[in-house]
Every structure is written in structure tokens, then in C-alpha cells.
Amino acid sequence: MTEFVRTTITNHIGIITLDRPKALNSLSLDMVRAITTALLAWRNDANVRAVLIHSSSDRAFCAGGDIRFFHEAGSTTPLRGSALLEDFFTEEYALNHLIHFYPKPYIALMDGIVMGGGMGVAQGGESNRIRIVTERTKMAMPEVNIGLFPDVGGGYFLSRVPGQLGTYLGVTGEIIGAADALYAELADVFVPSTELPALLAMLASTSSDVRDAVAEFAAPFKAQAASSSSRLAAQRAAIDRHFAHDRVSAIAASLAGDNNEFAQKTLAVVQKRSPLMMCVTLSQLRRGVNMSVADCLRMERTMVRRSFENGEVLEGIRSVVIDKDNAPKWHPASIEEVSDSMVERFFEPAWPAHAHPLRDLS
């Protein structure tokens, strides 16, 4: 294992604890490898009937990938370690695929911040996932804010949420809470943070199917995160109308023509994000809706290679975590300047199919 990932088996449940609190459990390559190693070891282990992944901290489940590492490695030569950046994304996306198709129940306790790579290790597949949120959950795919796109399978899971909610979340990178996550079908049950010790104690002792046990435990708290308290539910009609367009320029124009407070606030957000990467993200989501998990991850692996070639992500990370001036110099500077050829470049194959790093995913 690694100093930032702890594993144990309790009551036939494999428990993965993310323990890098000072970095909000941002994923390093070693952490990706440690999680993968545990899941592979437990996959065919008859002594393990389910997996639980959670955090040692109440501030964050996982804030994403280690973007300081992305900036450092993406700015250096292979001699100085940039090859590790290639390894990180290849192995992270392979882990996302492993989780999606894991043959045992996969419980993700998404307490606190859940962003980017954190979503990748939490979403799971339709047949195995049990995604728990609390009142402290702050969920987002905020990559457009750093000149990237919603990866780790975002092209798959965001494109499959109801209506245009996934488009809204991917293109704006906005943060949502528990009720929103449940409404958007990015979470399954709500448990108050005060009840988490009791939930873990229950899992440590129950002999029932863990999916049934978690659902039964959470049932009394359902009303605390009802759709009536969801901002996404309240703005669903507006979101579906504005984000149904297939060009970001059309989305922005639609928002600009709506005097509603939500539309104007959303327009202000869009005007701050990377114009290029919003357009790339929209294209990613429109393509992803008709793709398999494996094909989405292969597409995103190509996209991330193109992203570091382009350099927009390095400028975004610089502005947010290196210089912290929050004044990125996006290229192009406006949505109107983004051409179709600029967007298409992100989807051009970086390898022949037989040499793609994720060619073996099925």
C-alpha cells in the first residue's frame, strides 16, 4: 500500500481509506496504484463480499487528481519525470474501468468534497454502485476551471444523467450538494454525517446484503435530501432549455437572452471558464452518450494527451494553485474565437488503435 491509502477487511468487506487529508485526498499515482492493487486482490477473494471506499477526513472524500503534480510533470521533460504523467492518466482510467465493472457491491461514502478524480473512484457501475452523500457533500466536475475537461469517465456518466443536467455540470463545472446529486442520479442515498459512525458499525456487523442494509439504514433520512430542496430540480426547465444546444456559443446566447437570475449567474460563470475547454467538453458529452465506458475512457485518454500538448491546462493550474491569481489567460480568450478545428484536434487519435494505452479495456 501507500502512506495515503489504508486497506483492511472487516466483516468480509474490503475497506479502502483515503488518508491524505492535507491535500484533500488528491490522488497521486501511488494512491491510484494502491487502490487498484487492493481491488484486484479482492476481486476473486471469496472472503470479500463487498468494498467500501471512504476518507479519514470529514473535509473531503477526494478532491480529484493531484493537479500540482500535473503542472510540474506537464512542464518538464521525460528525463525529469513527465512520463509519470502518462502513467497517471493511463492507470487512473484503467482503475475507473475496473470500478465500473467490479463484480461485488462497491460502496462510496462521498462525505465532504467529491470532485474530478474523486468522482471517478466513486461512481461505479449501474450494477454494483452504492453512492452515499451527506449534508457536507460538495460534488463537482470542475475541470473547465483549470483548462481541462471532465475526465475519469465523465463523458459516460455525465452524458447519462437526466435531461441536460450533465451538460450543465460539465460545461460550467458548478458545485452541487446532496439533494442535487440525488436528483441528478449521481448518488443513491443520503445519510447525515452524524450517523456515519452508526452506518460503519452496522456494516461491520451485518450479515445481510450490503446494498439492502445500506438502503434500509438510509431510508429514515430520505426526506432530508428530497428533490424539493434541490437547486437543480428548481431550475431543471431552464437548464434543459439553455443547455440543449450543441454549441457553447448558442448556450451562452440563450443564457444572455434570459433575464432570470439563475440564467444570468450561469452566464457569468461561463464567461470565466476556458472557452476552448467548454467547447471540447460539450463535444465530449455529445459523443459520449452513444459510447461504452471503455470507449469513453479511451477517448478521454486521447483528449488528456492533447490537453497537455495544447497547454491550456497548464495555464489553468498556474492561475488556481501555483500563482493563485485566479486570472488565467485563456487561448482563445472568447467562445467566438474557438474554431471547430481547434475542438476536433482533441479527438484526433494520438496512437493507432493497436497501440492505445487502454486498448485492452472491454
Side-chain angles (χ1 to χ4, degrees):
M1 292 297 98
T2 167
E3 61 178 315
F4 299 133
V5 175
R6 294 185 279 111
T7 62
T8 188
I9 300 173
T10 300
N11 191 29
H12 304 289
I13 298 175
I15 300 174
I16 299 171
T17 304
L18 305 181
D19 189 23
R20 195 186 182 190
K22 291 183 179 179
L24 302 178
N25 291 330
S26 295
L27 296 172
S28 65
L29 179 57
D30 282 348
M31 292 172 72
V32 167
R33 288 175 172 173
I35 297 168
T36 302
T37 297
L39 291 178
L40 290 175
W42 295 337
R43 184 167 55 182
N44 297 315
D45 186 344
N47 189 48
V48 177
R49 61 189 175 114
V51 171
L52 166 69
I53 184 167
H54 72 141
S55 168
S56 64
S57 166
D58 59 12
R59 290 186 60 204
F61 168 72
C62 173
D66 187 343
I67 60 176
R68 284 185 177 274
F69 161 70
F70 296 171
H71 189 273
E72 179 181 353
S75 304
T76 61
T77 66
L79 183 64
R80 295 179 59 198
S82 67
L84 294 174
L85 189 67
E86 295 286 318
D87 291 345
F88 177 87
F89 287 107
T90 296
E91 296 185 40
E92 182 186 30
Y93 295 1
L95 171 60
N96 301 147
H97 185 270
L98 173 63
I99 289 170
H100 187 92
F101 292 104
Y102 207 65
K104 300 178 181 183
Y106 184 87
I107 309 166
L109 210 173
M110 299 186 288
D111 185 30
I113 296 169
V114 190
M115 297 184 181
M119 289 284 278
V121 296
Q123 282 304 307
E126 292 87 344
S127 65
N128 66 10
R129 64 193 180 202
I130 308 166
R131 302 163 298 177
I132 303 168
V133 288
T134 77
E135 77 283 357
R136 296 188 296 220
T137 298
K138 294 180 180 179
M139 179 183 290
M141 292 297 287
E143 287 79 3
V144 289
N145 193 40
I146 59 165
L148 201 56
F149 61 91
D151 62 337
V152 297
Y156 183 87
F157 61 76
L158 285 182
S159 66
R160 283 162 173 76
V161 300
Q164 296 299 323
L165 296 178
T167 308
Y168 165 75
L169 294 173
V171 170
T172 67
E174 285 287 80
I175 298 172
I176 59 174
D180 293 324
L182 289 162
Y183 180 73
E185 299 178 9
L186 293 170
D188 300 304
V189 297
F190 172 84
V191 174
S193 60
T194 54
E195 298 296 326
L196 294 181
L199 172 67
L200 295 175
M202 180 275 292
L203 289 171
S205 61
T206 186
S207 58
S208 302
D209 181 283
V210 294
R211 287 164 291 203
D212 294 338
V214 170
E216 182 179 350
F217 184 93
F221 313 115
K222 186 174 182 178
Q224 295 184 33
S227 60
S228 58
S229 60
S230 164
R231 180 177 59 90
L232 294 184
Q235 301 297 337
R236 174 68 183 276
I239 290 171
D240 283 354
R241 182 172 73 256
H242 295 308
F243 286 85
H245 299 283
D246 291 331
R247 301 186 77 89
V248 175
S249 58
I251 292 173
S254 182
L255 291 168
D258 186 343
N259 291 326
N260 177 275
E261 181 182 3
F262 170 79
Q264 291 304 302
K265 285 185 175 180
T266 303
L267 178 61
V269 169
V270 167
Q271 291 170 338
K272 295 178 182 177
R273 305 311 193 209
S274 165
L276 174 59
M277 297 315 297
M278 285 191 295
C279 294
V280 169
T281 293
L282 183 59
S283 183
Q284 171 201 8
L285 296 178
R286 296 296 186 253
R287 295 168 193 241
V289 71
N290 295 313
M291 298 172 73
S292 67
V293 175
D295 285 340
C296 275
L297 290 166
R298 275 189 282 267
M299 173 179 70
E300 292 169 10
R301 184 64 186 84
T302 295
M303 291 171 68
V304 83
R305 163 65 77 86
R306 298 304 187 200
S307 292
F308 281 90
E309 289 176 354
N310 173 275
E312 189 86 331
V313 61
L314 299 178
E315 170 60 13
I317 296 173
R318 178 208 63 76
S319 73
V320 173
V321 301
I322 306 301
D323 297 335
K324 299 182 180 179
D325 57 21
N326 291 307
K329 296 178 175 63
W330 299 128
H331 297 288
S334 69
I335 296 168
E336 292 72 24
E337 295 174 83
V338 179
S339 68
D340 290 346
S341 62
M342 291 176 185
V343 174
E344 285 301 315
R345 175 61 179 164
F346 284 79
F347 300 93
E348 292 177 2
W351 308 269
H354 68 268
H356 194 290
L358 299 177
R359 59 189 174 276
D360 293 331
L361 297 187
S362 61

